[in-house]
Amino acid sequence: MSLINQTSRSKASLKPSSRRAETSRVYAHPLPIIFPEPTYKFLGLSLTRPLNPHCTALFDPLTRSAWVSSSGDATLLWQRGFFGKGDLSRSEPSWLARQINARKMKGKALTSEEITAKRRAERKQFKLDRAKAIAAAAAEAETAFNEQGRVIAPGIAPDGTRIIPSAATWKPTSAPVPSEKSPLDVAPDEEEDMEPIQDLEHLQLSLQEAFFLVWALDCLTILHPRTLVHLVFTQNVSFTLAEIWNTFQNAHIPSLVPQPNAPSPLRFDNPFLVSYVAYHHYRSLGWVVKSGIKFCVDYLLYKRGPVFQHAEFAIVVIPVYEDPEDQANSPFKLQNAEPFTWSWLSTINRVNSQVQKTLVLSYITIPAESRVSPKVLSSPACFVHYSVREVVLRRFIPARMRD
Amino acid sequence: MQNHPSYPVLSQLLEKYPATGGALFQVYNDLTLAQKWIDVEVLDLPACKRAAIKGKRPTPDTDRVPSICIVVPCSLSESISASWLRAAFTSLDPLPSEIYVAITSEDTSTVYYKISQGIVKPPV
């Protein structure tokens, strides 16, 4: 639940069921466009128009992304479909809230980053305690053997209880110290003298998310970054769909300014196109698609969203060329286009099964230039020539998996 | 990006190395604004064709002196090699015992990997 929207009760006082209800209320809409209840129907067709928020974002060529600076648009895009990520936060932009929190020292309602930091500090303390207990028990076993010649089980006390703490039963012994060191002597009336913090965070949309919002949903406008013309900054001009189509394909070329001319040569294996095919495929099936860099994969699929449940599926995008000639002539070196090794596959599968995610290999077939003319690449209608096939992987252990 | 307060500090290196500019900008902001590193400065590593960031990492317990750490940003779409990592170590003076490689994704997720020279036992 976002800290940004101030609720009347703090998070800690909400029961799990009411927190779930609150989350379901805040994240009720799966897409930025809302289809209101039809007030008037004609021949069974609803005549009410869908509500379109018309958000705006700024294209940034260096980071190859679209920035949403307006906090209203950012909150809307996050709450309706989990689009984008705050560039200084774990998920939604919460940097300003964290700074204000740190200033006011009202640590009751914590943002998700602060909760994670607290949990990591406790886990670190647990590991130190455990290491000390192991060392002490080993030393005790050594002295017992040297002095009396008897061997004792190092981890067990004489009455049978465990000395080495386990993660399930360990409790933090001392309260965290750093909070006392912060300046608590800032009197409430002095807070107004401190200058307000400028919000330096924005919601960043990847090119795939931005193109989906522009083309598939038509609820986003992308603006050209400001250019200096005759020593005067021009008004932010918005891109046309054709310019966005070209600029996004050219984004892999490092540049400080957008490149809105059609790429030459036009190629089916442009990295933006291949990754967009996968993104669009899963989004259109209703999944919430987020980046999978933390788990060594390309995308993570969430059933409803990150705030509800952990992702169930981890997607690796594997481009497959219909014609090997195209791969040989390619100016791009697409990742995973070459045959992969068993060690790579085992590593990724192991990482994901440890976090209870199912690994899915998503094969994207890149059409052959000999069969389909590259001229179709002048518009998004070319996507009809790509195909997506999934292969689901699970580790099979015959000895252990009989029940 | 030009209106961001970090831009003046980084503008020269962003123009010199546009391919890694996005990663540098993102990692610099993460370290200075989100992680609150202190004494942050940007170094030029021509051998790796990018800039690196040096700074002091804040420690929760105050009896330990904050250590100087070097972070080398790179983006997920690049391919790096062992020789690239070796070049990163040798072009730094004084030679650090470890560096952090920050891998950035276009949605601003950043993962940090600690790279040491040789096999190093973890502290705990």
Side-chain angles (χ1 to χ4, degrees):
Chain A
M1 191 172 75
S2 168
L3 176 72
I4 319 296
N5 305 317
Q6 295 290 330
T7 53
S8 50
R9 293 176 292 175
S10 75
K11 218 165 153 182
S13 66
L14 288 174
K15 287 201 287 244
S17 56
S18 46
R19 213 182 312 152
R20 264 202 295 277
E22 181 65 32
T23 315
S24 289
R25 189 189 63 79
V26 172
Y27 298 98
H29 302 286
L31 289 176
I33 299 183
I34 300 177
F35 294 91
E37 281 302 311
T39 50
Y40 183 62
K41 271 187 159 166
F42 180 66
L43 294 178
L45 296 170
S46 162
L47 290 181
T48 44
R49 301 173 69 90
L51 298 171
N52 190 325
H54 294 298
C55 307
T56 47
L58 190 72
F59 175 68
D60 184 74
L62 264 187
T63 54
R64 295 190 284 269
S65 57
W67 295 13
V68 179
S69 307
S70 144
S71 62
D73 282 353
T75 313
L76 193 148
L77 288 173
W78 173 258
Q79 284 183 349
R80 300 189 198 170
F82 305 96
F83 290 92
K85 177 185 167 296
D87 75 316
L88 297 172
S89 309
R90 238 180 62 170
S91 51
E92 69 209 358
S94 66
W95 180 81
L96 190 63
R98 298 202 306 275
Q99 306 311 305
I100 294 174
N101 235 16
R103 212 184 243 193
K104 284 188 187 164
M105 281 309 300
K106 284 207 191 89
K108 284 202 206 102
L110 298 171
T111 55
S112 66
E113 286 82 356
E114 287 159 344
I115 295 174
T116 306
K118 190 158 153 247
R119 197 174 58 226
R120 281 184 185 158
E122 285 179 2
R123 178 139 182 91
K124 196 165 163 196
Q125 184 62 37
F126 157 69
K127 283 190 177 169
L128 287 170
D129 286 351
R130 184 179 61 182
K132 263 191 254 167
I134 290 177
E140 196 188 311
E142 276 288 322
T143 49
F145 184 72
N146 291 336
E147 288 169 11
Q148 302 158 24
R150 65 183 172 98
V151 177
I152 57 172
I156 318 287
D159 58 357
T161 57
R162 287 175 62 108
I163 303 177
I164 317 275
S166 75
T169 53
W170 181 87
K171 288 274 185 299
T173 44
S174 54
V177 177
S179 53
E180 299 170 18
K181 302 230 168 33
S182 309
L184 281 173
D185 50 3
V186 175
D189 50 279
E190 284 179 27
E191 281 173 22
E192 283 99 55
D193 296 348
M194 292 168 120
E195 49 181 80
I197 311 173
Q198 185 198 1
D199 191 4
L200 297 171
E201 192 177 22
H202 59 268
L203 183 87
Q204 187 154 323
L205 298 167
S206 66
L207 295 180
Q208 294 83 26
E209 290 174 320
F211 194 73
F212 185 80
L213 290 168
V214 167
W215 179 59
L217 295 181
D218 194 24
C219 63
L220 184 72
T221 312
I222 300 190
L223 302 176
H224 200 288
R226 292 166 74 178
T227 46
L228 198 59
V229 175
H230 302 308
L231 298 175
V232 172
F233 278 111
T234 58
Q235 190 69 17
N236 281 55
V237 177
S238 61
F239 283 107
T240 63
L241 183 62
E243 286 173 338
I244 293 176
W245 179 241
N246 292 333
T247 309
F248 282 12
Q249 285 182 76
N250 291 326
H252 63 278
I253 304 170
S255 155
L256 295 165
V257 289
Q259 317 267 322
N261 298 322
S264 66
L266 291 164
R267 286 204 56 103
F268 285 106
D269 59 351
N270 184 286
F272 164 68
L273 295 178
V274 174
S275 56
Y276 183 73
V277 166
Y279 184 87
H280 185 102
H281 175 75
Y282 293 108
R283 263 288 180 186
S284 58
L285 290 172
W287 295 99
V288 170
V289 184
K290 302 299 291 178
S291 157
I293 186 178
K294 292 192 185 126
F295 300 102
C296 306
V297 295
D298 291 306
Y299 293 119
L300 294 178
L301 297 187
Y302 293 85
K303 246 189 224 151
R304 276 181 84 187
V307 301
F308 295 102
Q309 262 188 320
H310 290 295
E312 210 187 307
F313 295 102
I315 307 286
V316 176
V317 171
I318 302 184
V320 175
Y321 285 87
E322 191 185 328
D323 184 357
E325 282 272 324
D326 291 341
Q327 191 171 8
N329 307 339
S330 171
F332 311 113
K333 277 212 69 186
L334 291 179
Q335 290 191 347
N336 303 331
E338 301 287 324
F340 49 81
T341 59
W342 279 110
S343 55
W344 173 91
L345 187 66
S346 300
T347 312
I348 301 217
N349 197 21
R350 200 60 107 92
V351 164
N352 282 289
S353 27
Q354 274 190 322
V355 288
Q356 279 135 28
K357 293 190 200 316
T358 306
L359 182 66
V360 175
L361 304 179
S362 191
Y363 288 89
I364 314 278
T365 310
I366 299 174
E369 290 190 5
S370 50
R371 182 177 62 88
V372 185
S373 160
K375 281 206 279 284
V376 306
L377 285 164
S378 54
S379 87
C382 63
F383 287 134
V384 72
H385 299 286
Y386 293 79
S387 67
V388 182
R389 287 167 297 138
E390 289 106 355
V391 173
V392 180
L393 252 100
R394 272 188 63 200
R395 202 164 150 240
F396 178 63
I397 304 169
R400 277 198 245 154
M401 280 171 150
R402 279 189 55 214
D403 31 57
Chain B
M1 188 194 273
Q2 284 82 345
N3 298 332
H4 199 280
S6 307
Y7 186 75
V9 180
L10 304 173
S11 58
Q12 273 188 318
L13 289 158
L14 293 175
E15 276 171 47
K16 187 173 177 190
Y17 305 115
T20 55
L24 173 67
F25 182 76
Q26 193 180 306
V27 175
Y28 183 82
N29 286 334
D30 186 41
L31 294 176
T32 51
L33 298 171
Q35 313 278 355
K36 304 280 194 207
W37 280 31
I38 47 182
D39 297 340
V40 176
E41 49 176 288
V42 192
L43 316 166
D44 189 346
L45 300 182
C48 305
K49 296 202 193 60
R50 70 195 66 226
I53 303 170
K54 179 166 92 165
K56 289 200 188 123
R57 207 174 144 180
T59 47
D61 31 322
T62 48
D63 52 344
R64 281 216 329 242
V65 178
S67 50
I68 296 183
C69 303
I70 315 260
V71 177
V72 182
C74 73
S75 101
L76 195 56
S77 46
E78 293 183 55
S79 53
I80 59 177
S81 60
S83 56
W84 179 94
L85 290 167
R86 228 175 292 131
F89 270 104
T90 51
S91 41
L92 289 163
D93 178 47
L95 186 73
S97 55
E98 71 220 0
I99 61 170
Y100 291 84
V101 170
I103 307 178
T104 61
S105 158
E106 276 166 25
D107 79 328
T108 73
S109 304
T110 316
V111 285
Y112 294 88
Y113 284 91
K114 181 155 105 169
I115 313 275
S116 317
Q117 289 192 308
I119 299 179
V120 176
K121 185 172 180 273
V124 172

